[in-house]
Structures are given as C-alpha cells and as structure tokens.
Amino acid sequence: MSGIVAQLQHKRDRSSGIGSNEHAVKYLNQDYEAIKQRCLETGRLFEDDCFEPLPSSLGYNELGPNSYKVRGIEWKRPKELSSSPKFISDNATRTDICQGALGDCWLLAAIASLTLNEKVLHRVVPHCQSFDEDYTGMFHFEFWQFGEWVDVVVDDRLPTRDGELLFVHSESKSEFWTALLEKAYAKLNGCYEALSGGSTTEGFEDFTGGIAERYNLERPDPHLFKIIMKALDRGSLLGCSINITSASDSEAVTYRKLVKGHAYSVTGAVRVDYRGDEVELIRIRNPWGQVEWNGAWSDNSSEWRYVSDEDRERLRCRSEDGEFWMSFTDFLRQYSQLEICNLTPDALSSDDLKKWSQKDFEETWRRGVSAGGCRNYINTFWMNPQSVIKLQEVDDDPCDGEDMCTVIIGLMQKNKRCRRKMGEDMETIGYAIYDLPEEYSGKRQVHLKKRFFQSTRAAARSETFINLREVSTRFTLPPGEYLIVPSTFEPHKNGDFYIRVFTEKQADFEEIDDEVECKVEEIDIDEDDISDRFKNLFGQLAGHDVEISPFELRKILNRVVSRRSDIKTGEFSITTCRNMVNLLDKDGSGKLGLVEFRILWSKIEKFLDLYKTKDGDQSGCMSAAEMRSAIEEAGFSLNNPLHQVIVARYSDSATSIDFDSFVCCLIRLESLFKTFNTLDKDNSGEIELNLTEWLELSML
C-alpha cells in the first residue's frame, strides 16, 4: 500500500511543479541552502555522509575496495591542490574537460557540448558557487532524471593520486567545476565506476532533459545532413564515435588521428563553396583537448586555400585544441555512430532557435498486469500500457518534401545504472505504433484489447528492441491519430518507464486507459421467486435464527467446492464470507436472510460459470490475464493501476488466482462501487469523508 501512496504523492508533486528545473527535487532530502547555512554558522566545512570518501564511493568491481586500482588514492579538497582554486575560470569552455582514469568519455563529450549553450549549462551548474565568498566545502548540481530535475549536493573532497585529480579535470589545474560535476553525477548513480561505459546521449539527456536519437553511419539516413543542420538550428547537442572490434581497439588512434571507441562532440555543420562545388562540412571536438583529424579540411589542410576569405576566417581552426573540420563524406566514412539530443522548449531562450513541442508520461510494467511483452506474445501484448498521439499540423520544411509530421518517440527505462551494484541490467525494450481506428477517434477511456492486435499490423515501430536505457526513433507520419504500445521484449518483466514524444508542430499526446465503472446487473429476486426446494435447504442450513452468518456461509461454501476437482481453492476465507454478507446484508444484522442468501447463491453460480469459461487451459486456476478478462465480463471496467492492485492482493507468487480469491475480488469490487455510488448523491464522481468515516469504510 505504501508504494501506491508514494505513486499518488509523486503524481501530485509533479502536477504542482515539483521536479521542474526551478523547483528541483532534493536528492536524498539534502537541502543545499539549509546545509550551507549550518556550515556557515558552525564554521565547519561540509562532509557528505551520503557519499563519503571511501572505496565504496569509487566502485564495486574494477574500482572496488579490494582492487589494486584504488591503492594510493587520497581524497583532497581543491584548496589542498591549488593555492587559488576557482570553480569556473572566466567562462566554461569545451577545453575545461580532460579525461582521467575513468572510462566515461561519453559523459565528457556531453559536458563539452553542454558548454556551447550557456543557459543549458547553468541549469546543471548553478550560478554563484565559488571557493571565495561563503565557502563551505559544498557545491550542488542539477540533473534531469526521468522527467524531473534533481538537485545533488556534494562536498569538494575529490579522489587524487600523487597530488593529481584521478578522474576528469580541467586544462587549468586551478579550475574544478568539471571534477565536482562528475562527482555529483557519480553520487546520483551510486559510485564513480557506475559511470564507466555509456552513450553520449545518456549524458546529453541528464544534462538537458532532452530526447536523444542514434544514427548508424554505415547506413545513413538520406536526409542526415539536413537533420544535423536542423538539430543545430534547434540548439541540439550532438556526439559521434567510432566502433571498436576488440578490446585492444579501445582508444586506439588511427593513422588519421581519430580515436576508436571514443566519444566526440559535433559542434557545427555548414555548406561552403569549394572550387565551384558545394561541400558539406562537419565540425568535431575531441574531449581530450588534443589529437585531431589530419585529413582533408583539417586545421592546416590545403582545402582552406580554395574557399572564400570570409569562410576561411569564420571557420578555420588553427590551434591544437581538439576541434577540427572534416567533409561530411569523410565523416560518414570514418565514424560509426551519431547521437543527437533534442532540447526541450524550456531549455531554449533564444528567439533565433526553433523549438520542439514536447509531451510525456511515466508508467510501469508489472507482471500479470501490464508487462505483456512484444507483439510476438499476442495473448498478453494487449495488456501493455497504451497512449495516443494526434498529429494535425505538417512540418514547415519536411526533409522529403511531402506533407508529413516529424515525431521523435523515446522510451526510457528508469533507475537501471544506479542498480548495477546490485547486479541488475537493462531490459530489452521497444514499442509499436498503430493507426488508431476511426471508431476510437477522440476517445481516451478505452484500452484496446487482444482482438484488435490480432487483426491489425503496426504502422511503424522502434528501430529495434534493445537493452539500452532508451530506445528512440524519428518518424515522418501522415496527419492522423496513432496508438503507441511500449513493451519489454519478453512478457512478465517488471520495470518503470518514461515515454516522451517530440514533434516539430503542436500535437496532442496522452495515455489512454479503460474508464473506471461498474455495470453489474442487479439480481432482482423476491420470496415468491424462490423454489420450495431452496427454501427447505435454506432452513436446514440457517439454523434456529433462520439467518446465515459469515461462519455458517464459510462451512457451506467449503463443503460445496471441496467436491469439485475442476477448480482450485484452498478454502473460502472468513474475510471473503464477511465481504459477501456485507454486500447483501440490508438490515445490518451481519447475517443473510432467505432472499439475500438466494441472491448471493445466484452470484456464486455466475462466478463459477465465468471462472470455468475463462480458465482457458483448464488448470483450475486463472492466470492474471484471464482474471483481467473475467473482471471485464463480470461487468467491471478498471484501469491499469487498479488491475495492478488486484494482482498484488489476490494472486499467488506465480500470479495465479484461485476461486476463493476470484470471488472475494468480485464481491469486494461490487461492494466498493455500491458504497461510493450511495455516498455520491449528485453523481459528481467525488465524495467527501472525514477521518472516522474513512476508517469505518476501510475497515469493512
């Protein structure tokens, strides 16, 4: 129950603005301003007990407590490393990022691109931090995490060896913003080693809240150069890399001075006139701050002699700073992957930049409820969460010249990197897109069922199902309404996910789910409708008070079901029997009279027929998927969160439901709906209860 309460509170916090960049969530409840004030009052430097200078903060395997790689490491504050440390010297630039002994070049490439946009940079690196005024040995940074911004506090004790910073550092030994940023990100992800290995897009997204795309340059999109130029026009961050074929290839330098397995930033794209032809050029940055391409269009190449003086002056690089130009043709030939992070509208302040329209929501896959697996598993695929996007406006400048709508859809699984310590790994995820049938147009309280997917082909799908943090793909679709179904590849995989949709023009996007309602038909019986045989039977069962108590009801039901081999149940519990009596007890006696018992018996007969019909494999138990279908046929329409509660409450460890649990669930549902409708006098869909009333109803 606490998990459900936490989800409700999280949704309310999000709707009230908590988690925005202006109102970031305090990571581990550490309040930067409050802690800083305490340090100033006591005159003590901050020591972070949530990320201590211990081997466990470094790593768990190669940087684990027993690894030789952590020998000789000392944690020192910048004032112990420099006589005049600076947080940021002058302005943050791409040359402030130099890689250390950690395999996080993907992260450094993202930081380098971050420095190209001052507003985006200062969302991550707040102003007014220094080693001078009000210095307390504490700094803070803000990162985007699955739909919300998180403020992370760190002390400035940094891992060093022989008086030098062990990990990322600036070219200037007196500048420390990048080292402290890396430490905060390591804290967020559990340790420094958790940052080893990754894609630049992950860093892009966590620094911006943007959505990332990946392109395989061996099979480039025919419109890729235009996509790159449009991305730069929208303030997007771009990175690229060269694949490796073996461990020995990692960070090997080619004869053209390009580094394999290394993350680069793409910082510019232009077309220039060259000897009467138009040539497409790409500008690239190596986060090492050195080792540059030496081929055509490199710093000192002859190609620059044959462009206009204006272009040469504007574009040519003349220093060994890690940044260089190359032709787009060479770029496709030399590099393997391109990654683009498209920024959210609130990250861009310049009127010169075009802005995406963004929509998002977060949901869960839960075994037996909403973890249906991919389309290969047709019996459960329909159970996955579903959402609808409505595309109406076409692009202003479509890449292929047709009236189409560009949409980028990203599906992200949550909290996996920080769980590496616990041995967790990424699930294999993806999504499918379907044309929404006309009969469902404009409807949002409907969850499409198995029959639809059996007879309908997907209009599009994610490029692949893959075990990455995020799967994102760019589509150009005709105007219309589309159903999006995100899933793990295999069913029954638990996980939390976050899905986003970016469009060039405004679009409607929302989660859809079944309406919550009860359409159970009332059973209308009076005493004259009851047969003499049933009356005689009731008289024998009821005893001298001519009523049946929950305890008597339990004996009756257990006697009946024990004779049946086609249904499985341990025994009817007293809780189930009390719920049955509470549902039908009109006079408040806590017992059932003749008519009430006859109505109940009619319900049980219906439940038994329904249970047998939905038990497809005749196992005597219901699967969670069969239970969901049975609940709907019984007259209840419920949404995914409610189905999740039902499976959690009524199923066993294998998510199977026996007959007792099935009956208890249906009786409880009917009772809850009846109670609500009785109290909802004006049919507003809302009721008001004081604490005592809430407790009385909940305890029933």
Side-chain angles (χ1 to χ4, degrees), residues 562-577:
S562 66
R563 298 171 185 163
R564 303 192 61 133
S565 60
D566 55 346
I567 59 173
K568 289 184 180 179
T569 184
E571 276 192 342
F572 272 86
S573 66
I574 191 64
T575 299
T576 300
C577 295

Side-chain angles (χ1 to χ4, degrees), residues 287-501:
W288 281 353
Q290 54 188 342
V291 186
E292 297 183 9
W293 162 254
N294 60 13
W297 298 100
S298 58
D299 290 3
N300 299 309
S301 71
S302 61
E303 283 79 10
W304 291 108
R305 301 175 193 168
Y306 303 102
V307 300
S308 68
D309 293 342
E310 180 184 349
D311 283 344
R312 187 185 312 111
E313 186 64 30
R314 177 170 58 94
L315 303 175
R316 189 178 180 186
C317 306
R318 290 188 173 84
S319 60
E320 185 74 9
D321 59 359
E323 193 164 62
F324 54 87
W325 289 96
M326 66 194 311
S327 72
F328 186 59
T329 302
D330 280 335
F331 173 72
L332 296 178
R333 186 181 299 122
Q334 298 291 334
Y335 285 90
S336 311
Q337 305 248 5
L338 172 70
E339 299 167 320
I340 301 175
C341 182
N342 302 285
L343 301 185
T344 56
D346 62 329
L348 303 171
S349 56
S350 173
D351 293 334
D352 296 332
L353 294 171
K354 297 178 180 178
K355 299 179 182 179
W356 292 95
S357 174
Q358 178 202 356
K359 305 287 184 181
D360 58 16
F361 80 90
E362 54 188 329
E363 250 296 353
T364 61
W365 292 301
R366 287 294 176 266
R367 184 183 179 198
V369 182
S370 55
C374 72
R375 175 64 176 73
N376 295 351
Y377 303 90
I378 191 62
N379 288 328
T380 55
F381 177 67
W382 64 274
M383 297 171 67
N384 287 300
Q386 300 173 9
S387 56
V388 165
I389 180 171
K390 185 175 184 180
L391 304 173
Q392 293 177 292
E393 298 182 63
V394 299
D395 299 343
D396 288 332
D397 183 23
C399 287
D400 52 14
E402 297 182 18
D403 287 343
M404 302 288 275
C405 307
T406 294
V407 55
I408 302 172
I409 300 174
L411 170 64
M412 179 183 293
Q413 49 189 321
K414 298 171 63 173
N415 304 315
K416 291 295 186 179
R417 184 176 286 275
C418 65
R419 291 177 181 163
R420 282 184 175 181
K421 281 184 174 181
M422 296 169 272
E424 286 194 29
D425 206 349
M426 300 286 182
E427 298 294 347
T428 302
I429 60 171
Y431 54 83
I433 302 172
Y434 295 83
D435 288 303
L436 190 70
E438 285 188 18
E439 61 265 32
Y440 297 111
S441 179
K443 297 180 181 178
R444 297 297 178 261
Q445 290 188 310
V446 58
H447 188 101
L448 274 70
K449 303 300 188 293
K450 175 181 172 181
R451 185 177 300 173
F452 169 78
F453 297 105
Q454 283 178 312
S455 59
T456 308
R457 291 175 61 87
R461 56 175 59 89
S462 55
E463 189 172 358
T464 183
F465 273 76
I466 194 168
N467 59 339
L468 292 176
R469 184 176 81 157
E470 183 176 49
V471 173
S472 65
T473 306
R474 177 185 293 246
F475 303 95
T476 52
L477 300 171
E481 287 187 87
Y482 297 91
L483 180 76
I484 304 172
V485 185
S487 72
T488 55
F489 183 79
E490 295 180 338
H492 315 309
K493 301 288 186 180
N494 288 334
D496 301 326
F497 69 87
Y498 178 71
I499 192 165
R500 296 177 290 170
V501 173

